[in-house]
Amino acid sequence: MGVINVTPDSFSDGNRYLTVDQAVAHARMLIDEGAHILDIGGESTRPGALPVTLEEERRRVLPVLERLADCGVPVSLDTQKPELMREAIAAGASMINDINALAVPGALEAVAGASAAVCLMHKQGDPRTMQQAPRYGDVVREVRDYLVTRIDAAERAGIRRERLVIDPGFGFGKTLEHNLALLRGLAQIAALGVPVLAGLSRKSMLGKITGREPGERVFASVAAAVIAAEHGARIVRAHDVAATHDALAVWAAVTGSQNLNQ
Ligand code: 7PJ
């Protein structure tokens, strides 16, 4: 899954894909590099980020989504806003990627009647404050239990399990130790039987390990992607698609997993 941020304040590539033309060009490059899914985001969720209004987020993402509706790969929208989920699906989005796991009032209903896939992500707290003092007893168990409650909520709302993807939400209210425990224990989450998405690309946990700035975390991100795949992730969210694709192609060849080019 290749990431396209249409935000002026994203930590890793903020400001670089601001115009619709630039975002679309970047998307086409990511497809050429081997992305099988594109994830478009118009609201930064990095630690400390401030929310954006519905109007502003709509203005950022809908024109990009419309231009990419026939790009040849499924397009996901990273949003927390039920109104925008509906509009994005109408504009051709194949997946809603919600860091709130459809817990905001109206979100379950916004996607229930459609056929789009949904990514349910775990987070603790909200992006403004989530990194201040994350606390868990057993992080893997708590994240897994939360995802089970959100899978149940989605199914009760009429969203079939086949439409769901789950995500432990690396970096969303987690210390480095929490993130490492989740990566080590990812197979316990994959054992729920719903495909797991892992988003580790350029994240600050990799900065803590390597001492590098976001733009210099490609090698660390690739390593993390392969480890995530090895522990059961089925979708890897990545900024550096070419590097990640090749690394996963090697992993797939070794493990006999489905050829990434098919
Ligand atoms: C994630 C995300 C993630 C899912 C972001 C960043 C911060 N969606 N959106 N999982 N991260 N599902 O790109 O580092 O980990 S925004």
Side-chain angles (χ1 to χ4, degrees):
M1 170 186 267
V3 181
I4 303 166
N5 285 315
V6 201
T7 56
D9 60 348
S10 163
F11 84 101
S12 54
D13 51 9
N15 244 336
R16 281 174 48 206
Y17 308 114
L18 278 185
T19 73
V20 176
D21 283 346
Q22 285 169 325
V24 170
H26 186 64
R28 297 202 185 286
M29 185 185 89
L30 296 186
I31 295 169
D32 285 347
E33 290 182 359
H36 290 180
I37 307 173
L38 297 175
D39 188 42
I40 301 171
E43 176 176 39
S44 174
T45 47
R46 79 186 199 290
L50 298 172
V52 298
T53 63
L54 172 62
E55 292 69 30
E56 174 62 15
E57 192 178 340
R58 177 190 284 135
R59 191 188 65 74
R60 292 177 184 176
V61 301
L62 278 188
V64 179
L65 259 176
E66 284 161 6
R67 289 266 303 273
L68 291 175
D70 59 355
C71 70
V73 303
V75 180
S76 155
L77 180 69
D78 189 339
T79 188
Q80 313 178 49
K81 296 188 177 69
E83 298 90 330
L84 208 51
M85 293 175 186
R86 287 182 197 274
E87 294 173 13
I89 292 169
S94 302
M95 181 188 248
I96 298 299
N97 174 21
D98 182 12
I99 66 162
N100 277 313
L102 304 183
V104 166
L108 285 165
E109 295 78 5
V111 301
S115 60
V118 181
C119 179
L120 304 171
M121 196 195 82
H122 175 275
K123 66 177 173 55
Q124 185 178 92
D126 74 276
R128 218 150 34 84
T129 55
M130 65 190 177
Q131 288 305 99
Q132 284 168 12
R135 289 180 82 92
Y136 299 85
D138 177 338
V139 66
V140 178
R141 207 189 63 212
E142 287 172 38
V143 167
R144 191 195 56 204
D145 289 352
Y146 173 80
L147 292 172
V148 168
T149 68
R150 298 314 302 159
I151 294 168
D152 290 347
E155 287 193 291
R156 276 199 308 278
I159 305 169
R160 283 185 304 114
R161 210 176 168 89
E162 291 75 21
R163 290 172 57 192
L164 300 175
V165 170
I166 52 176
D167 181 343
F170 290 103
F172 285 85
K174 282 121 188 156
T175 63
L176 173 59
E177 283 312 317
H178 295 142
N179 288 315
L180 293 174
L182 280 169
L183 193 47
R184 249 178 245 124
L186 202 62
Q188 294 172 55
I189 291 169
L192 295 174
V194 173
V196 170
L197 186 157
L200 292 145
S201 182
R202 301 186 185 176
K203 284 197 173 165
S204 77
M205 62 177 284
L206 304 177
K208 291 201 177 90
I209 295 168
T210 61
R212 297 194 188 280
E213 296 303 312
E216 301 171 340
R217 295 177 190 160
V218 182
F219 305 128
S221 299
V222 167
V226 173
I227 295 166
E230 183 69 23
H231 286 74
R234 292 278 304 278
I235 304 173
V236 168
R237 193 174 173 278
H239 299 86
D240 304 290
V241 169
T244 308
H245 178 275
D246 281 6
L248 290 175
V250 174
W251 170 83
V254 172
T255 59
S257 302
Q258 190 194 351
N259 184 328
L260 293 184
N261 292 317
Q262 285 172 356

